[in-house]
Amino acid sequence: MLHLFNSLTRKKEPFVSISPGKIGIYVCGITVYDHCHIGHARSMVSFDVIVRYLRSQGYDVKYVRNITDIDDKIIARAHERAIPIDDLTAQYIAAMNEDTKALNILPPDVEPRATEHIESIIRLIERLLEKGNAYLSDNGDVCYQVDSFADYGKLSHKDLEGLVAGARVEVVKEKRSPLDFVLWKKAKQGEPSWPSPWGEGRPGWHIECSAMAMGELGEQFDIHGGGLDLQFPHHENEIAQSEAATEKPFANYWLHVGMLQVNNEKMSKSLGNFYTIADVLAKHHPEVVRYFLLSSHYRSSLNYSEENLLNSRKALARLYQALKDSQVIPDGEMDNHWISEFNQAMNDDFNTPVALSVLFQLSHEINKSRSVILANTLKYLAGIMGILQEDPASFLQSGFAEEDKTEIEELIAERLQARADKNWGRADQIRADLLKRGIELEDGPNGTTWRKME
């Protein structure tokens, strides 16, 4: 049975969906004012595998991942570049789609945008005002009154009194408490706005996700996810406003992806260790990056380094090598023992490191037996992880420019001719020269193949 670590209860729990056989998942997506970074990739890949696995178990999954296309950062960046906001967000949505496609991240079933849900956001704010959980401040903003929700802090396990005492929030006299947050911002000169019962304005960040999640999945759904950095205050505020409005639990299970560090430091532009997904993919094969992101449990922290990427390539090459000389039959017979071992790992809160270890055990058996059934099984299980999707020879030869590949093939042809002419010295010299360049030759009954040494 599937067990999930629920951030709300801080314990691992059996998973039971609201509707048998169906699962609704909402994951906080990208604020599109810049290129996605490698930390974003970790969250997106983690939930991609979670959704793939749940579907492999027969669940009908509705996966919703939003786009925040209006907020302070977007407005500031568009102003800085002197371009319309829609042009800015379109540019970065297109870049995000390129990144996710390269990393073999399946698109969500629904990808709502905040600007498309203004009406539902306004209705939700109206409910909060009617119930006394929100108020119209003197400056025209609508604010949520945090102390009106008795359970505030239950997700992040923070004490409300302690939060107020230690609030490092700029005091805004229009707020009743420094913890109160804005649901609707009164329009400012030169900023985009929409009509509302409280005048022209735009939504605050937190209310956007509540409205989009409930609009797509209902007032109560199964799983809400996102990065650990969103747990407080964003997810805490989502719970407060949603449950105050509906008087129902918002999401039954909360999953949070651990933080990604770079060389054991927090990723930061000021430290010069900030990497976009495009930066990383310019140097590393997409499947290597994906494997690296899955090599640690999604809840744990993960350290990005060139050494760890290199080790990920070596590990992935071992799996590809097992498939290289094996026949794989699409939809062919598979070995239920290995599927069961894989499922056992994934049923334990989506433990991808253990699941990957099952793939390595399976590859070891394939290397010994060249079993078609085992090869079919490895290909299928790796597909749930979104890896081993390339032709093995192509992956094992990746990392070389096309002109280099052409030269390598010409040298292999020359070596074959030298061997045919019994010119063993020249044949050995070519092998040795290629070896120095990190290229390993493999002679077999079907000729000579080559691969990059790992």
Side-chain angles (χ1 to χ4, degrees):
M1 184 177 185
L2 176 63
H3 285 71
L4 307 182
F5 183 88
N6 190 350
S7 298
L8 189 64
T9 60
R10 298 287 174 94
K11 63 182 181 182
K12 208 175 285 186
E13 302 173 351
F15 175 75
V16 180
S17 59
I18 295 171
S19 299
K22 296 184 177 182
I23 300 177
I25 301 179
Y26 182 90
V27 173
C28 289
I30 307 299
T31 300
V32 285
Y33 72 99
D34 205 341
H35 291 283
C36 296
H37 57 67
I38 190 64
H40 293 138
R42 189 186 189 198
S43 180
M44 290 191 288
V45 167
S46 295
F47 284 105
D48 181 58
V49 170
I50 286 170
V51 170
R52 286 172 185 258
Y53 178 69
L54 293 174
R55 286 175 174 154
S56 78
Q57 300 305 293
Y59 285 105
D60 178 8
V61 180
K62 183 176 181 180
Y63 177 33
V64 182
R65 189 185 70 215
N66 80 294
I67 291 175
T68 298
D69 60 349
I70 183 66
D71 88 331
D72 293 342
K73 292 179 180 178
I74 292 172
I75 293 169
R77 183 61 54 85
H79 178 73
E80 174 188 304
R81 293 178 52 181
I83 61 173
I85 284 176
D86 288 348
D87 290 355
L88 180 85
T89 57
Q91 173 189 342
Y92 288 120
I93 289 171
M96 178 189 70
N97 290 337
E98 288 180 15
D99 291 338
T100 55
K101 183 178 180 180
L103 288 171
N104 193 22
I105 297 170
L106 300 176
D109 297 299
V110 187
E111 198 168 38
R113 302 184 186 187
T115 57
E116 297 170 349
H117 283 255
I118 299 297
E119 288 185 12
S120 60
I121 290 169
I122 290 173
R123 288 197 300 271
L124 183 54
I125 295 172
E126 287 177 325
R127 291 172 72 178
L128 291 169
L129 284 165
E130 290 168 5
K131 296 172 79 67
N133 298 100
Y135 58 91
L136 183 63
S137 67
D138 292 340
N139 69 352
D141 291 345
V142 180
C143 296
Y144 184 89
Q145 186 169 328
V146 166
D147 63 9
S148 71
F149 184 68
D151 287 338
Y152 192 83
K154 67 179 180 178
L155 176 66
S156 55
H157 295 254
K158 295 181 182 293
D159 175 71
L160 183 59
E161 291 184 7
L163 284 170
V164 173
R168 297 179 62 185
V169 180
E170 182 182 353
V171 177
V172 179
K173 63 181 180 180
E174 290 82 5
K175 290 183 180 180
R176 296 176 183 174
S177 164
L179 290 182
D180 292 353
F181 55 91
V182 176
L183 301 172
W184 187 262
K185 297 186 178 187
K186 183 180 179 181
K188 294 181 181 178
Q189 185 68 33
E191 291 188 354
S193 63
W194 291 262
S196 81
W198 322 287
E200 289 285 323
R202 59 184 174 89
W205 177 35
H206 309 301
I207 197 70
E208 294 174 353
C209 278
S210 287
M212 287 186 282
M214 290 194 284
E216 298 296 346
L217 297 173
E219 293 184 347
Q220 184 179 5
F221 54 94
D222 296 296
I223 298 173
H224 195 311
L228 185 61
D229 57 323
L230 298 178
Q231 188 177 90
F232 184 85
H234 183 52
H235 289 165
E236 194 73 70
N237 290 349
E238 278 189 66
I239 287 176
Q241 62 201 9
S242 302
E243 296 188 1
T246 67
E247 299 182 9
K248 301 175 185 176
F250 184 40
N252 288 349
Y253 301 86
W254 288 80
L255 307 185
H256 288 97
V257 178
M259 301 301 290
L260 184 137
Q261 295 182 309
V262 178
N263 294 319
N264 296 309
E265 293 183 307
K266 182 179 179 180
M267 186 169 64
S268 166
K269 289 184 178 179
S270 63
L271 294 174
N273 64 355
F274 184 90
Y275 298 107
T276 67
I277 296 174
D279 291 335
V280 178
L281 292 180
K283 297 176 63 178
H284 299 283
H285 190 285
E287 278 202 13
V288 172
V289 178
R290 188 179 175 100
Y291 180 97
F292 161 70
L293 295 171
L294 296 173
S295 63
S296 180
H297 190 277
Y298 77 88
R299 283 191 288 113
S300 65
S301 60
L302 179 63
N303 186 48
Y304 177 92
S305 69
E306 287 301 310
E307 180 181 4
N308 286 342
L309 267 294
L310 179 61
N311 289 335
S312 294
R313 180 180 174 93
K314 290 178 180 178
L316 193 56
R318 285 170 53 197
L319 296 176
Y320 265 114
Q321 192 65 30
L323 288 181
K324 180 173 173 290
D325 298 317
S326 302
Q327 182 184 9
V328 175
I329 300 175
D331 300 320
E333 184 181 355
M334 293 186 287
D335 189 308
N336 287 329
H337 165 74
W338 292 105
I339 293 175
S340 177
E341 290 288 310
F342 179 90
N343 289 347
Q344 184 175 336
M346 292 297 285
N347 282 339
D348 183 16
D349 193 31
F350 309 113
N351 197 327
T352 55
V354 176
L356 287 171
S357 74
V358 172
L359 300 191
F360 281 104
Q361 296 173 52
L362 181 52
S363 70
H364 181 68
E365 294 301 318
I366 293 171
N367 289 334
K368 291 193 296 184
S369 67
R370 292 299 165 201
S371 164
V372 173
I373 292 174
L374 294 185
N376 294 342
T377 309
L378 176 58
K379 182 76 172 179
Y380 165 72
L381 295 177
I384 295 173
M385 307 291 269
I387 58 175
L388 302 190
Q389 299 305 293
E390 279 205 30
D391 173 71
S394 295
F395 176 84
L396 294 168
Q397 294 175 2
S398 62
F400 291 92
E402 287 303 315
E403 55 267 27
D404 292 332
K405 291 181 181 180
T406 300
E407 181 191 359
I408 292 165
E409 294 291 349
E410 290 172 351
L411 287 169
I412 289 173
E414 182 184 345
R415 176 175 174 268
L416 288 173
Q417 186 59 53
R419 295 181 71 186
D421 296 339
K422 300 190 183 328
N423 186 352
W424 309 116
R426 177 55 182 158
D428 291 343
Q429 184 62 52
I430 292 173
R431 176 188 280 275
D433 290 344
L434 289 173
L435 200 59
K436 289 177 182 177
R437 294 170 59 178
I439 299 156
E440 186 173 8
L441 301 184
E442 295 178 355
D443 294 317
N446 297 320
T448 299
T449 59
W450 66 276
R451 67 185 182 92
K452 181 180 180 181
M453 289 180 63
E454 306 299 340

